[in-house]
Amino acid sequence: MPDTRPRMIVTVTRKGKKKPAGALDARYTVTFDALPGKTYGPWSYRETRDDLTVSALLEPVEARALILDAFTDDSASREVPRA
């Protein structure tokens, strides 16, 4: 049976003009399309991962992948079930 729960898009953005040495050294912000105009952060890698596991209901591995995508591409988005 397909998942029919409402969906939202969560976006993680790496902050700062200069790319840090590694993903753990960067700062990130998080936005949710369900909450337009609100930006959360900037947070460290660990704070961002912890927030995504609670607020976006992502597994830690999924949250890590989203953050690493944002680190390499400056920003990354995923569609997730709305809580």
Side-chain angles (χ1 to χ4, degrees), residues 13-69:
T13 304
R14 182 177 49 83
K15 298 308 291 177
K17 296 185 186 328
K18 185 179 176 193
K19 194 171 190 177
L24 294 178
D25 300 322
R27 304 289 287 174
Y28 303 93
T29 59
V30 178
T31 57
F32 302 91
D33 75 334
L35 302 168
K38 298 284 263 176
T39 300
Y40 300 92
W43 294 318
S44 69
Y45 168 86
R46 286 178 182 85
E47 291 169 318
T48 305
R49 182 198 61 210
D50 292 348
D51 179 69
L52 290 172
T53 59
V54 173
S55 60
L57 303 176
L58 291 175
E59 293 295 322
V61 172
E62 295 170 315
R64 183 180 137 246
L66 181 57
I67 295 166
L68 293 177
D69 286 349

